[in-house]
Amino acid sequence: DAKTTQPPSMDCAEGRAANLPCNHSTISGNEYVYWYRQIHSQGPQYIIHGLKNNETNEMASLIITEDRKSSTLILPHATLRDTAVYYCILTGNQFYFGTGTSLTVIP
Amino acid sequence: DVKVTQSSRYLVKRTGEKVFLECVQDMDHENMFWYRQDPGLGLRLIYFSYDVKMKEKGDIPEGYSVSREKKERFSLILESASTNQTSMYLCASSLEAGYYGIDEQFFGPGTRLTVL
């Protein structure tokens, strides 16, 4: 089954854009890319998802490459409250969560 | 707002005990899930259910069973708890999204289980 690869950690200055990459080179044609984040001691929270086209909502933007082998989650103006672990997930019949990227927003 | 509740935030049990973790969702979702989360391993799917009385094994079903007698409730059962089942357990639910995958999941706050 297709899996994702994310850097283990990243830092971002407060107010700047945070760009979180995800590789999913074995994604299949009917799999969506989902992003969640988990703030310490809470359950994961849905952020955004997409299949082929770029997507934007009130929380973030999702950029998916044309070959669908990678994607980037963009938090346009990171705040301290965005410090969390971010998970990039593919869906077919089941979710596969990895260890995600621990984003630290620095004042 | 969707609410997923779990019966306990913290639980301490002894080796060999039978343990029930309860999860309830209030949005009439078809799918429900149980995960465990351990440092360095991320979230791992234990079981999921796509309908009442239906269940499917996830990545790590060994040592666990589940029960879904009502649509809103999904129970995780540790028949004989062991120390290696000490973990954070997370329940989630989602709407049915058809053939192409599962819709966004809504997670509960988690139950931190310690088995002594």
Side-chain angles (χ1 to χ4, degrees):
Chain A
D1 292 304
K3 299 286 200 300
T4 62
T5 304
Q6 300 176 254
S9 64
M10 291 181 67
D11 293 338
C12 177
E14 188 178 16
R16 304 296 292 271
N19 296 292
L20 294 99
C22 180
N23 285 322
H24 31 80
S25 58
T26 58
I27 190 171
S28 61
N30 61 357
E31 284 192 288
Y32 283 75
V33 181
Y34 275 72
W35 283 83
Y36 287 77
R37 72 179 183 186
Q38 187 174 22
I39 296 169
H40 184 61
S41 298
Q42 298 181 21
Q45 174 195 21
Y46 166 82
I47 301 173
I48 198 167
H49 74 280
L51 182 63
K52 295 181 194 177
N53 301 320
N54 299 337
E55 302 286 346
T56 296
N57 64 19
E58 64 277 4
M59 289 181 71
S61 295
L62 173 61
I63 308 297
I64 302 173
T65 58
E66 193 168 340
D67 62 8
R68 302 212 322 125
K69 293 185 176 181
S70 66
S71 60
T72 301
L73 178 76
I74 301 172
L75 309 177
H77 305 287
T79 71
L80 299 179
R81 286 176 292 184
D82 292 323
T83 292
V85 177
Y86 288 78
Y87 297 97
C88 166
I89 300 143
L90 304 181
T91 63
N93 293 318
Q94 295 185 13
F95 275 115
Y96 294 91
F97 283 77
T99 52
T101 296
S102 178
L103 175 69
T104 302
V105 180
I106 302 166
Chain B
D1 282 349
V2 175
K3 194 158 185 188
V4 179
T5 57
Q6 296 183 227
S7 49
S8 307
R9 283 284 283 173
Y10 299 94
L11 206 54
V12 179
K13 295 292 182 181
R14 296 207 174 272
T15 301
E17 280 193 77
K18 191 168 185 175
V19 181
F20 292 87
L21 302 183
E22 303 285 341
C23 175
V24 177
Q25 51 94 3
D26 65 359
M27 283 298 291
D28 203 35
H29 283 172
E30 284 83 2
N31 301 316
M32 296 189 74
F33 309 82
W34 275 107
Y35 294 86
R36 65 177 282 176
Q37 184 171 28
D38 302 287
L41 296 175
L43 278 79
R44 292 179 292 167
L45 184 67
I46 304 172
Y47 269 98
F48 75 99
S49 168
Y50 54 89
D51 201 353
V52 174
K53 296 192 187 294
M54 306 302 286
K55 62 185 179 184
E56 293 285 342
K57 292 180 180 179
D59 291 331
I60 50 163
E62 296 79 19
Y64 303 94
S65 62
V66 290
S67 171
R68 192 157 180 212
E69 296 296 319
K70 293 185 178 181
K71 192 174 187 179
E72 67 270 18
R73 188 178 299 268
F74 192 35
S75 302
L76 181 69
I77 303 155
L78 288 66
E79 294 288 341
S80 177
S82 63
T83 54
N84 63 12
Q85 292 178 310
T86 292
S87 186
M88 169 70 85
Y89 289 89
L90 289 156
C91 174
S93 72
S94 75
L95 280 171
E96 179 60 61
Y99 177 77
Y100 291 107
I102 297 168
D103 204 353
E104 65 174 282
Q105 293 185 44
F106 295 85
F107 282 83
T111 296
R112 187 164 293 282
L113 172 67
T114 301
V115 182
L116 301 175

